[in-house]
Amino acid sequence: KKVIEELNRLGIVVDVSHCNKQTTLETIAHSKTPVISSHAGCEALISRARNKSDEEIRAIAENGGIFGVTCIGWMLNDKRGAATLDDFIEHLEHAIEIGGIDHVAIASDTYRNGWDAESVHYAGPRLGTEDRWRNLYQALSAKGYRDEDLSKIFGLNWIRVLRAVLPEGE
């Protein structure tokens, strides 16, 4: 609790991506500033120790934070190297259904050019390339997402949380 209080006081974003469920929920309950999970998938879709439950996603949203959906393949799909853009979209849409459009974003936890095919992080051809975000934007637009909502998913939600947490003038 003292660490969370000090992080809040210093204007440091609290990230629960690598925390278990109990730690995640206790951290959110204690934090006075929005808490993020910068990169995870949805446990309801695939059970992984690092993926977050609906309860955790909902708590992050209620705290004003962000749930960042990762494109790391093993967190999105059971088959190594088989995660697709559709898998990513399924996780993104599930998180939006649970937490709302204002509390979900894409995670930026991959190399700029994506992952090598040999990597355990590999997420499939359309999701593991430099063009992945363009591919995602086009796919979500085709599904009927408005530009306003896409802007939130692609960065405005992150900016809102950073402005809420970082000290004035930083």
Side-chain angles (χ1 to χ4, degrees):
K1 289 181 179 182
K2 288 181 181 181
V3 170
I4 295 166
E5 290 168 7
E6 186 66 2
L7 293 171
N8 288 170
R9 186 186 72 75
L10 293 171
I12 296 173
V13 177
V14 179
D15 187 351
V16 294
S17 294
H18 289 256
C19 298
N20 68 19
K21 185 175 184 176
Q22 179 180 346
T23 301
T24 295
L25 295 174
E26 288 178 4
T27 298
I28 293 166
H30 193 72
S31 183
K32 303 289 187 242
T33 64
V35 171
I36 67 167
S37 175
S38 63
H39 59 290
C42 300
E43 183 184 69
L45 301 178
I46 181 170
S47 181
R48 293 281 190 252
R50 288 257 311 279
N51 285 352
K52 299 296 182 191
S53 68
D54 289 355
E55 182 182 5
E56 291 167 285
I57 295 168
R58 194 173 293 109
I60 289 167
E62 289 171 357
N63 165 265
I66 299 294
F67 179 76
V69 178
T70 187
C71 63
I72 293 176
W74 62 266
M75 295 174 77
L76 301 176
N77 188 302
D78 280 330
K79 299 176 184 161
R80 184 184 183 277
T84 65
L85 187 64
D86 291 336
D87 292 324
F88 181 87
I89 291 171
E90 185 179 10
H91 282 258
L92 187 73
E93 290 187 318
H94 180 81
I96 291 168
E97 181 181 325
I98 301 303
I101 195 76
D102 293 323
H103 302 284
V104 176
I106 58 172
S108 60
D109 58 334
T110 62
Y111 297 117
R112 184 180 71 83
N113 294 327
W115 298 102
D116 294 330
E118 297 79 33
S119 170
V120 296
H121 299 96
Y122 187 67
R126 290 188 65 214
L127 195 54
T129 68
E130 192 172 327
D131 291 336
R132 67 186 168 279
W133 304 134
R134 183 178 300 115
N135 294 336
L136 176 63
Y137 193 94
Q138 291 169 348
L140 293 174
S141 291
K143 289 178 78 79
Y145 281 83
R146 301 175 303 151
D147 285 342
E148 174 186 331
D149 291 336
L150 291 171
S151 293
K152 291 177 181 181
I153 293 167
F154 278 83
L156 290 182
N157 287 340
W158 289 117
I159 292 170
R160 175 186 53 78
V161 168
L162 292 174
R163 284 185 175 147
V165 176
L166 295 177
E168 289 282 327
E170 297 294 318

